[in-house]
Amino acid sequence: MSERGPATAPSEPSPATPSTTTPAAPLTAARRTGLLVTFILGGLSALPPLSMDMYLPALPEVTNALNSPAATVQLTLTACLAGMALGQLVIGPMSDKWGRRRPLLAGMVVYVLATAICALAPSAELLIGFRLLQGLAGAAAIVIARAVVRDLYDGVEMARFFSTLMLISGTAPIIAPLIGGQVLRFADWRGVFVVLTAVGTVLTLVTWRCLGETLPPERRQTGGVGAALRTMRGLLGDRVFAGYTLAGGFAFAALFAYIAASPFVVQEIYGASPQAFSLLFGLNSIGLIAVGQVNGKLLVGRVSMDKVLAVGLGLITAASAALLLMSAGAFGEVGLVPIAAGLFVLMSAMGVVLPNTNALALMRTPHAAGSASALLGTSSFLVGAVASPLVGIAGEDTAVPMAVVQVACALLSVACFLGMCRPWQNREPAADQPSAERSAERSG
C-alpha cells in the first residue's frame, strides 16, 4: 500500500475539504508504519462481521444447549447489531474530544472482556446482555477506524484507502462462517467466543503497540454532551453530508437484504445445495472486493468520485429491478443462473458505492471526523436492521420481497444522491464557508 496522500497534501484539489487539516507529526509516524497501519485499520473494520458471522453456524447448537426458543437466541444477533449501531453515536464524539487512541483501546478492552463472558454465559438472557455489550464496545473499532482514515487522508487518497480497507475487511464475511464451522468441529458453541476473544486480544495488543494518536490536542473538540449533540446536528444540517450518508445507508440496506434473504432464496426457492450457496456467496464477495480495488487503483483520481458513484448506484438499481422482474415471473420461470447474475452485479457495484459515499461524506467534516463516522455507521446499521426483516414478509415461497426491498432501497439511495448531494453543482467546502452561506446551501 502506497501512502501518498496525507491530509495536508491531497493529490488533487478536493471541493469539500479545507487545505489545512492534520499536522505533520502524527502523519510521519503513520507513514513509518505504513502497511501495518493498513492492516490494523482493516482488522478493526473486519471485527464486526467476524463477531456476527462467525457465530451464525452455532445458532442451532446454542438453542439446544441453553434450552431456549430459536426466537430468543436470534436476539443475540439483534443485540450485537443494535449495540454496534448505537455505540458509534457515543464513541464517535468521544474520539473527537479525547483523541482516537484512548477510546479505541478502552472499547477494545471491554470488547475482549464481554466476548470472554459470552463464552461462559449460562443462559440465553445473559448471553443477549453481553452480546449487547460486545456490540457497544466493538463499535469503537468501526467508528474510529473510519475517523483515523479521515485524519490521515484527504480527497482521492481517502477514497483509495477505503477501497484498500475493503480488500481486507471484505474477506471477513467470506471466511467468518467457515471459521465458525471449523471451530464447531473441535469445540461447542462457546469455542466460537473463545476464538473471538483471542482475535480481539491480539488486535488490541497490536493496536496499543503500533497505532499512534492521529488527532492532536489542538484539533480536538471541546465541550460535553451538549457540544457533541450540536456537532451532530450541524453535520445533519449540512444537506450534502446528509445526502451522502443516506445514499450510503440505503445502499447498505440493499446489501443487508441480500445477506438476510440469500440463504433462503438460493437454497430453498432455487434448489442450490449449501455448498453451491457458499460458492455463490464467496463469488459475490470477491466481486465486491475486486470492483473496490478497481475503484481505488484505477478510477479514483482519474474520474470524478461523484460520476463513479452515479454509475454504481445505476448498476444497483438496474440489478435490483432485474431481480424483481425475474422473481415476479415477468420473463417466465427462470433458474438460478440469472438470479445469481443479478445478485453478483448488485454486490459488485457496492465496491464503488460504499467507499465513495464514505469518502465524499467525510471530506466535508475534517474537524468532526469521529461524529461524522458515527453518523455514517449508525445510519447504515439502523437502516439495514429495519430492511432485513422485510425480506421474509410474504412467506417462504417467493423472492419478490427481497427484490422489492432492494429496489426501494436503491431508488431511495439515488433520490438522496440526486436531490441532496446535487453532484452537478460546484460546491464549496462546508467547513470553510461562513455560516450564512452554508445555511443558504443547505436550504437551497
Side-chain angles (χ1 to χ4, degrees):
M1 169 66 189
S2 174
E3 297 194 346
R4 298 174 294 166
T8 51
S11 61
E12 73 175 32
S14 167
T17 312
S19 59
T20 56
T21 51
T22 307
L27 288 179
T28 302
R31 288 194 198 101
R32 281 200 299 268
T33 50
L35 188 62
L36 182 58
V37 168
T38 302
F39 278 107
I40 291 173
L41 296 177
L44 293 171
S45 301
L47 195 61
L50 285 175
S51 300
M52 296 292 293
D53 298 344
M54 194 184 298
Y55 174 65
L56 293 177
L59 283 177
E61 187 176 329
V62 175
T63 302
N64 295 328
L66 298 182
N67 295 316
S68 297
T72 300
V73 175
Q74 286 285 347
L75 290 177
T76 61
L77 293 175
T78 304
C80 187
L81 181 63
M84 288 179 180
L86 299 176
Q88 295 183 65
L89 289 177
V90 177
I91 298 172
M94 287 173 57
S95 73
D96 283 337
K97 182 177 180 180
W98 294 321
R100 314 300 183 203
R101 184 173 165 83
R102 284 188 292 171
L104 175 58
L105 291 175
M108 291 300 296
V109 169
V110 175
Y111 172 88
V112 169
L113 293 175
T115 306
I117 296 174
C118 285
L120 304 173
S123 67
E125 291 73 19
L126 281 175
L127 182 59
I128 291 170
F130 282 102
R131 283 283 278 176
L132 177 63
L133 181 60
Q134 182 193 40
L136 288 168
I142 319 169
V143 68
I144 294 180
R146 274 195 304 263
V148 167
V149 174
R150 181 63 187 93
D151 292 340
L152 298 179
Y153 291 93
D154 199 4
V156 297
E157 291 299 329
M158 181 165 52
R160 287 195 180 111
F161 198 90
F162 275 126
S163 295
T164 300
L165 287 188
M166 188 170 288
L167 176 63
I168 302 170
S169 62
T171 60
I174 303 174
I175 65 173
L178 300 177
I179 296 174
Q182 292 303 309
V183 170
L184 293 176
R185 294 182 60 187
F186 305 101
D188 63 7
W189 65 271
R190 299 179 189 274
V192 174
F193 288 105
V194 172
V195 173
L196 283 172
T197 301
V199 171
T201 301
V202 171
L203 192 54
T204 302
L205 292 174
V206 174
T207 300
W208 173 62
R209 290 293 302 273
C210 303
L211 185 64
E213 180 58 67
T214 60
L215 185 69
E218 62 269 20
R219 291 188 58 233
R220 295 177 189 175
Q221 300 287 321
T222 58
V225 175
L229 292 176
R230 285 192 297 272
T231 298
M232 287 191 172
R233 186 170 64 246
L235 291 171
L236 291 175
D238 176 15
R239 169 176 50 78
V240 180
F241 171 82
Y244 286 124
T245 300
L246 290 174
F250 283 119
F252 199 63
L255 175 61
F256 260 66
Y258 159 77
I259 293 173
S262 61
F264 165 72
V265 169
V266 172
Q267 295 180 79
E268 299 299 325
I269 296 179
Y270 291 97
S273 66
Q275 293 74 24
F277 166 72
S278 298
L279 176 62
L280 291 175
F281 193 91
L283 286 175
N284 289 340
S285 299
I286 291 171
L288 185 151
I289 295 169
V291 172
Q293 295 313 292
V294 171
N295 178 66
K297 305 298 184 184
L298 299 179
L299 299 179
V300 172
R302 295 178 175 88
V303 183
S304 164
M305 279 188 281
D306 278 317
K307 291 181 180 178
V308 176
L309 176 56
V311 172
L313 291 175
L315 288 173
I316 289 174
T317 304
S320 58
L323 286 168
L324 177 58
L325 291 173
M326 287 188 288
S327 59
F331 305 119
E333 187 160 342
V334 299
L336 176 60
V337 172
I339 295 293
L343 291 172
F344 180 81
V345 172
L346 185 144
M347 278 286 287
S348 297
M350 295 291 176
V352 295
V353 171
L354 299 182
N356 286 356
T357 50
N358 280 339
L360 287 163
L362 288 172
M363 281 182 193
R364 302 184 64 82
T365 61
H367 304 303
S371 297
S373 177
L375 291 172
L376 283 166
T378 300
S379 63
S380 296
F381 274 85
L382 290 181
V383 175
V386 170
S388 296
L390 299 178
V391 298
I393 199 170
E396 301 181 355
D397 298 323
T398 175
V400 169
M402 177 193 75
V404 168
V405 170
Q406 290 172 332
V407 168
C409 290
L411 291 175
L412 286 169
S413 183
V414 171
C416 291
F417 176 61
L418 296 178
M420 300 175 71
C421 302
R422 302 177 189 174
W424 58 87
Q425 293 180 347
N426 183 19
R427 297 188 298 267
E428 294 296 325
D432 281 351
Q433 290 174 324
S435 58
E437 293 180 10
R438 293 200 301 271
S439 299
E441 179 190 5
R442 290 196 290 265
S443 62

